[in-house]
Amino acid sequence: MHDVVKLENVTVRRGSKYLLSEVSWEVADGERWVILGPNGAGKTTLLNILAAQMHPTSGVVGLLGETLGRVDVFELRPRIGQTSAALAERVPPGEAAVDVVVSAGYGVLGRWTEDYAPEDYAQAEMLMEAFGVGSLRDRTFGTLSSGEKKRVQIARALMTDPELLLLDEPSAGLDLGGREEVVAALGELASEPAAPVSILVTHHVEEIPPGYTHAMLIREGAVVAAGPIDLTLTSENLGQTFGLDLVVAYAEGRWTARAR
Ligand SMILES: Nc1ncnc2c1ncn2[C@@H]1O[C@H](COP(=O)(O)OP(=O)(O)OP(=O)(O)O)[C@@H](O)[C@H]1O
Ligand SMILES: [Mg+2]
């Protein structure tokens, strides 16, 4: 069985700035990773590489058994589901929520003239239901609250039944209830045997859904620590990543962190 992700010495440089430096990393089937790091650490850059949206300056990127640069990215991208603030900004505000979800089947944003089968709508509605936004089917995306938009986007990311799911701060900006709903829904997804390999970026350990198995901590484009979550997400490692003296704790499937 191939690695879902295999990075070898991946470096991304813009001018004299290193966005990522010498990142090596392997993600196997069945794993669910959380990536933590301060603002500007390179998390979104890393996800853009994993989404086959960006090529590294140097290094080798293996994705779903293919090698970036030697594969048609247009064949690779439908196998990868993604949510990000950048993607959300590109959704036409007048688009019906269900069409935001269903149009992922065509890799487009904004419905044009494509014909979707009733099964596609049934799938989109099932996913919206699973993420608690089933009743918002016909509402325009622009009128949704930020939490509702996040959940519609997650449903969209799952629409193509991807092998790899990339979530860039899926609960950022949500209120406590909204965050807990997203975390619970992602935790439920994580517990399904057929769930895609998921990689979730966040700033807050409280946002790690139950069932996430591994963690990567990054700072200034470099990996501080990576591996099984209980060994990696220690007070020392997280403190080093954020440059703070922290106490990290785990109870009942959830993580917390606070300054010492
Ligand atoms: N084209 C570019 N040229 C120069 N610097 C860039 C470019 N694109 C991104 N950066 C810088 O690279 C760094 C990493 O950006 P990235 O978006 O990956 O960080 P991040 O970890 O996702 O941060 P945040 O938590 O704020 O979302 C940032 O300092 C950013 O300003
Ligand atoms: Mg980011």
Side-chain angles (χ1 to χ4, degrees):
M1 184 167 292
H2 59 72
D3 282 310
V4 176
V5 173
K6 187 172 168 69
L7 304 186
E8 291 170 54
N9 300 320
V10 166
T11 293
V12 175
R13 186 165 53 84
R14 294 286 180 270
S16 61
K17 186 174 165 65
Y18 284 83
L19 278 55
L20 293 175
S21 48
E22 303 281 325
V23 174
S24 295
W25 185 32
E26 285 173 29
V27 175
D29 239 342
E31 295 179 353
R32 288 168 292 279
W33 283 75
V34 58
I35 302 178
L36 287 148
N39 289 131
K43 304 179 298 298
T44 297
T45 305
L46 184 57
L47 282 199
N48 285 338
I49 296 227
L50 301 180
Q53 303 283 354
M54 184 195 274
H55 286 266
T57 311
S58 62
V60 183
V61 178
L63 283 175
L64 301 172
E66 308 286 350
T67 303
L68 217 54
R70 281 193 243 138
V71 59
D72 181 353
V73 290
F74 292 99
E75 281 177 22
L76 198 51
R77 284 178 193 160
R79 299 169 63 193
I80 303 167
Q82 192 188 13
T83 75
S84 70
L87 210 63
E89 276 170 22
R90 286 170 40 222
V91 176
E95 181 90 346
V98 70
D99 288 331
V100 174
V101 178
V102 84
S103 60
Y106 280 72
V108 295
L109 269 175
R111 242 201 97 164
W112 296 95
T113 53
E114 315 85 14
D115 261 328
Y116 297 104
E119 305 88 83
D120 291 339
Y121 276 106
Q123 165 82 352
E125 285 160 9
M126 186 270 288
L127 286 166
M128 290 177 76
E129 207 59 59
F131 284 89
V133 285
S135 65
L136 303 174
R137 185 188 185 286
D138 298 316
R139 282 271 295 284
T140 56
F141 192 73
T143 65
L144 301 180
S145 79
S146 46
E148 292 163 350
K149 281 181 181 158
K150 294 270 186 196
R151 283 180 273 160
V152 168
Q153 282 183 77
I154 297 171
R156 176 186 161 88
L158 290 166
M159 182 66 200
T160 58
D161 202 6
E163 293 158 70
L164 176 61
L165 177 65
L166 306 173
L167 303 157
D168 197 351
E169 300 188 41
S171 36
L174 302 189
D175 68 15
L176 187 54
R179 179 190 86 182
E180 287 303 302
E181 276 181 32
V182 167
V183 168
L186 291 175
E188 222 161 276
L189 181 68
S191 71
E192 288 173 20
V197 168
S198 305
I199 301 176
L200 181 152
V201 164
T202 178
H203 293 117
H204 303 292
V205 299
E206 289 77 5
E207 295 177 358
I208 301 173
Y212 272 58
T213 58
H214 289 70
M216 175 194 273
L217 305 178
I218 73 171
R219 178 187 171 100
E220 294 175 2
V223 178
V224 175
I229 195 162
D230 49 341
L231 301 178
T232 309
L233 207 49
T234 60
S235 301
E236 192 185 350
N237 286 342
L238 197 71
Q240 194 187 336
T241 305
F242 284 89
L244 295 164
D245 190 9
L246 294 177
V247 183
V248 173
Y250 177 82
E252 293 173 34
R254 298 289 297 276
W255 296 84
T256 54
R258 61 177 176 78
R260 198 183 292 278

